[in-house]
Amino acid sequence: MREILIVGGGYAGFYTAWGLEKTLRRGEARVTVVDPRPYMTYQPFLPEVTAGSVEARHAAVSLRRHLRRTRLVAGSVTGIRHADRTVTVRPAHGDEYELGYDILVVTAGAVTRTFPVPGLDRQAIGLKHVEEAVAVRDRLLTAFDQAASLPAGDPGRRKLLTVTFVGGGFSGVEGFGELLSLATAMLDRYPELGPDDLSFHLVEARERILPEVTDRPGAWVVRELERRGARVHLNTRLLSAVDGHVVLSGGEEYDSELIVWTAGNASNPVVHNHTDLPVDERGLLVVRPDLRAGTDEAPVPDAWAAGDDAAVPDLASDVPGARTVPNAQHAVRQGKRLAKNLVADLRGRRPRPYRHGSLGVVATLGLGRGVFEFRGIVVKGFPAWLMHRGYHVLAVPTWERKIRVLAVWLTAALFGRDLVSLASVQHPRDAFLAGAAPRDGQADRAA
């Protein structure tokens, strides 16, 4: 059997392996997926995880539950040497080792793009993984509990209830809108606090947010967020975040307890720096329209790529040289096409090029609020929010996940949001260590 090695178990990797399991004949090939996480994150649900509208585990699709005929390797690929048909794997425990293959599929995905902003590495948190979304939610809930015990006008109270999102793309705007919706709803449960205690800031370096939509819907989103009490800082950069003290390029300074960094993606370091496969000036793998690595003039045998770390030609675009946008729509469909092309290539047939026209863009801005745009058609408010939920409950893989998510939404509609913080879960041994520490009398007797 030929060995097919898939680097990365995200959207493109998961759907490629899933499609291969459904299509490959017994004994035709063996599939291996290497990923440090045992699940695929359904990233469009992360903003709703921060607001408690989706349970954290429901935004994660278990690889072992759904890839039953695929070998799963828990580890990170740190190097690719296609000339030798080997990759270097770093497991969570133990030494690095090499893994051989016959056919390589690179779907490692992008990483969060950061800049050398003072204090950013100590204060900020991303919004790319389930763990981060849970931490953002718990920090806000904990901040409410702490702020409610402080007197009005206390600087610490103001800092606790100040939230800063850096980055005005889809993940930033959706996460910001959902968290603002959660914070506003929580005021009903905290009579000690009022709307004036909340301070939400969205910082974007460009002159507009949501670059995937046209100017008018983007401007409407800004007005909608500001109408709800938020501040949107356009053409503004974060200069410093030392000890939570935010300094913006526009001259404004304030203290913020929660800083969320969503300022775009960068190419995966493994793809950019540690592979002998061809990459472009952005550090993305060069691929043909059929998702094979290389170009029409110089294809790379037995190497394929898809998803956020691949520069896939956009055949549906009228712009010469256009590449597909790195989003879930394309990653899912590229994974499905890649599985079919791999099987076709194994059986001596010609792979088909990837082509997908956009289905439009839809974003949630908090409970009951959203925006949708498709070919000049713009829908705002509650109808767009329903479209967002309807699309994503259909798009999340497997019926098991669809039913779980629907059940949570129906429960929330009947009983409201669950406002319990589980921040202590991030430090599970604290309670044990506090109980195990000797009391003063015991310490004296021990002495």
Side-chain angles (χ1 to χ4, degrees), residues 47-62:
E48 295 200 64
V49 171
T50 67
S53 301
V54 171
E55 287 293 330
R57 283 186 173 86
H58 299 170
V61 179
S62 170

Side-chain angles (χ1 to χ4, degrees), residues 380-430:
K380 307 171 185 175
F382 186 73
W385 177 77
L386 285 178
M387 295 169 71
H388 176 274
R389 287 207 159 180
Y391 171 79
H392 284 299
V393 79
L394 291 175
V396 67
T398 78
W399 281 104
E400 170 253 343
R401 275 295 178 263
K402 300 179 197 295
I403 293 171
R404 288 182 186 274
V405 171
L406 278 173
V408 172
W409 283 343
L410 292 174
T411 303
L414 291 174
F415 302 107
R417 302 173 188 263
D418 191 341
L419 303 181
V420 177
S421 170
L422 295 178
S424 58
V425 171
Q426 299 169 37
H427 308 281
R429 297 186 68 246
D430 286 357

Side-chain angles (χ1 to χ4, degrees), residues 1-5 30 82 85-86 100-104 301-303:
M1 287 193 296
R2 304 201 74 187
E3 295 279 350
I4 301 176
L5 178 65
R30 183 165 59 182
H82 189 63
R85 297 296 197 274
T86 60
Y101 62 84
D102 296 305
I103 300 171
L104 177 68
D302 299 324

Side-chain angles (χ1 to χ4, degrees), residues 97-147:
Y97 61 92
E98 292 188 348
L99 202 60
Y101 62 84
D102 296 305
I103 300 171
L104 177 68
V105 177
V106 182
T107 56
V111 297
T112 301
R113 180 181 60 182
T114 58
F115 299 99
V117 177
L120 183 68
D121 56 341
R122 292 182 174 272
Q123 300 296 323
I125 186 169
L127 192 57
K128 198 172 183 64
H129 301 289
V130 174
E131 301 92 335
E132 294 172 324
V134 172
V136 168
R137 168 181 163 81
D138 285 341
R139 288 188 186 184
L140 181 69
L141 296 177
T142 301
F144 262 74
D145 289 333
Q146 295 172 348

Side-chain angles (χ1 to χ4, degrees), residues 45-378:
F45 277 160
L46 293 187
E48 295 200 64
V49 171
T50 67
S53 301
V54 171
E55 287 293 330
R57 283 186 173 86
H58 299 170
V61 179
S62 170
L63 298 181
R64 291 195 178 274
R65 180 184 180 96
H66 301 291
L67 300 180
R68 300 183 180 180
R69 294 192 292 116
T70 298
R71 177 191 177 196
L72 300 174
V73 176
S76 301
V77 171
T78 59
I80 298 173
R81 293 179 302 283
H82 189 63
D84 301 328
R85 297 296 197 274
T86 60
V87 299
T88 303
V89 178
R90 178 185 296 159
H93 302 284
D95 298 329
E96 291 187 348
Y97 61 92
E98 292 188 348
L99 202 60
Y101 62 84
D102 296 305
I103 300 171
L104 177 68
V105 177
V106 182
T107 56
V111 297
T112 301
R113 180 181 60 182
T114 58
F115 299 99
V117 177
L120 183 68
D121 56 341
R122 292 182 174 272
Q123 300 296 323
I125 186 169
L127 192 57
K128 198 172 183 64
H129 301 289
V130 174
E131 301 92 335
E132 294 172 324
V134 172
V136 168
R137 168 181 163 81
D138 285 341
R139 288 188 186 184
L140 181 69
L141 296 177
T142 301
F144 262 74
D145 289 333
Q146 295 172 348
S149 64
L150 297 176
D154 189 298
R157 177 169 172 169
R158 183 67 172 178
K159 179 181 180 180
L160 284 166
L161 298 181
T162 298
V163 176
T164 303
F165 271 66
V166 184
F170 258 85
S171 60
V173 171
E174 288 190 315
F176 185 79
E178 286 286 350
L179 210 63
L180 176 61
S181 177
L182 172 62
T184 304
M186 286 173 62
L187 291 175
D188 293 337
R189 308 291 179 91
Y190 289 84
E192 306 91 340
L193 305 175
D196 293 339
D197 291 311
L198 295 180
S199 183
F200 272 66
H201 300 261
L202 177 61
V203 180
E204 169 53 48
R206 292 168 292 189
E207 62 183 4
R208 52 165 297 181
I209 62 174
L210 295 178
E212 294 87 350
V213 303
T214 55
D215 291 344
R216 293 184 65 183
W220 176 84
V221 172
V222 172
R223 293 195 302 270
E224 169 68 12
L225 293 174
E226 291 182 336
R227 183 188 65 80
R228 292 160 56 188
R231 289 280 308 279
V232 180
H233 306 266
L234 300 178
N235 293 313
T236 304
R237 293 176 293 107
L238 176 66
L239 299 181
S240 177
V242 176
D243 296 329
H245 183 71
V246 173
V247 180
L248 302 180
S249 61
E252 187 168 353
E253 298 185 26
Y254 58 88
D255 292 328
S256 180
E257 179 69 17
L258 178 58
I259 302 173
V260 184
W261 182 268
T262 60
N265 296 324
S267 60
N268 194 296
V270 175
V271 174
H272 194 189
N273 302 319
H274 303 289
T275 178
D276 56 357
L277 296 171
V279 297
D280 66 8
E281 66 282 356
R282 296 173 298 168
L284 303 179
L285 284 171
V286 176
V287 299
R288 308 189 317 179
D290 62 1
L291 305 178
R292 188 192 298 273
T295 62
D296 291 336
E297 295 76 21
V300 180
D302 299 324
W304 308 73
D308 292 354
D309 58 9
V312 180
D314 190 353
L315 301 184
S317 173
D318 297 328
V319 180
R323 298 291 184 263
T324 57
V325 178
N327 60 20
Q329 266 191 53
H330 285 297
V332 169
R333 287 163 177 81
Q334 286 170 13
K336 294 178 179 180
R337 169 46 53 196
L338 184 49
K340 295 176 182 178
N341 282 356
L342 285 167
V343 173
D345 191 60
L346 283 171
R347 297 174 184 172
R349 301 198 303 265
R350 175 175 293 184
R352 293 176 54 187
Y354 170 77
R355 183 187 183 94
H356 171 66
S358 173
L359 299 176
V361 291
V362 61
T364 174
L365 303 175
L367 193 62
R369 302 175 178 90
V371 61
F372 167 82
E373 183 178 27
F374 176 65
R375 295 182 180 177
I377 300 173
V378 179

